Each structure stands twice: as structure tokens, then as C-alpha cells.
Amino acid sequence: MADKNFRVLISQRRLEARIGQLGREISRDYRGRKPVLVGVLRGAFVFLADLLRNITVPAEVDFISVGSYGDAKVSSGVVRLLQDLNTNIRGRHVILVEDIVDTGVTLSYLTHNLRTRRPRSLEICTLLDKHEKRKVHVPLKYVGFRIPDKFVVGYGLDYAQQHRNIPYISWVRED
Ligand code: PRP
């Protein structure tokens, strides 16, 4: 994939500003509580790191890893749990942190899975919402940006495990 095919969709400056707002919103909503932020590996790790630094309540962090895409651009539709949490979330306020919601299949699987562990509350925070592709409804409490149905990489998002290090959200022009 040649560099000329990358186009800025969301700049670093816009990411920074919006993530600051999300952090303030979460800090306000969770005042007096100690939420557990659960990052969905691998894509969410960059967003989670920046979001956490904009949260002022005492938040904990853990990660869960699932997969349905492999190295493909299209989801297989079957979600597998690859790595579980270390934290016992029973009775805790959990915020699931995603880089992108596409079909909603991953988050639907994860919310059902985590709810069986009886958290006190469970909300979703996603940086990107590719709403046109939704197949399964998932209630999104915090959304950074709604984006069109374009293939995007950067800021943690990959194509075939590459390009996660691009510091902004980029769409890939397919010639
Ligand atoms: C991406 C993303 C979400 C999921 C969303 O993960 O991080 O977890 O796809 O798609 P869906 O709404 O259609 O289920 P991916 O499987 O690409 O793995 P990665 O996070 O390791 O890159």
C-alpha cells in the first residue's frame, strides 16, 4: 500500500480536542466512582492511553482481546475471546473502550459476555462509529466521531497489522 493512498480523515488536532471533551464528560459522569476502563485489544490501546490521561477520577485499566477479522477487511461474523480480563468486574462500573464500531458484532458479544459477570454498570465508549455498517444494535454512550463507510487506519487501527502508528485517522483510497 503506497503512502499516496493515505488521506487524513481526522487530524491529530481534532482527535486531541474531542478526546479531551470525552475525558471531561466521563470524569463528570463518574464523579465519586472508580470506573474500570476495559480496552478492546488490539485497536483501542492508543485511544485508551489518551482518553485515560484526560480522565480525572481514579480509573483502573484492563484489557480484553477478541477477534473476528483476522487480517481481513471484512468480519467473519464469529467473535472469539483471545485473552480475558485480569480484573473481577462484579459490582464495578465498567466502561468498554473501543477504537471503532462497525457491524456491532464484537461489542454485542462483549457486552453479553461481561454482563454475565454482574458489573454494577456497563457503558461503551468508542472513538469511531461507522454507523452505516451496523448489523446489531449496541447502545453507545460516548462516541468520538461518526464516520462514513470508508476503510480507515491509524491511531491504533490497522490494515493487516500495519499502520497502527499513524498519529491521525486516515482513510485509504483504493485505486
Ligand atoms: C476491530 C475493532 C473492533 C471491531 C469492530 O477489531 O477494534 O473490535 O473490529 O467491528 P464490528 O463492529 O464489525 O464487530 P479487529 O478485529 O480489526 O482487531 P484489532 O482491534 O486487533 O485490530
Side-chain angles (χ1 to χ4, degrees), residues 40-44 66-70 72 75 79 98-107 134 156-158 161 164:
V40 185
L41 292 172
R42 282 168 265 183
V66 291
S68 71
Y69 283 76
S75 168
V79 183
E98 262 289 20
D99 51 345
I100 187 167
V101 187
D102 196 323
T103 63
V105 169
T106 302
L107 275 180
R134 200 62 35 82
L157 288 94
D158 75 307
Q161 303 307 330
R164 296 191 197 270

Side-chain angles (χ1 to χ4, degrees), residues 23 33 44 91 166:
R33 304 183 199 165
I166 298 173

Side-chain angles (χ1 to χ4, degrees), residues 18-36:
R18 184 68 186 120
I19 293 167
Q21 289 173 342
L22 288 173
R24 285 190 289 279
E25 210 179 315
I26 290 172
S27 304
R28 198 179 57 230
D29 293 351
Y30 287 81
R31 188 170 296 150
R33 304 183 199 165
K34 292 179 184 169
V36 186

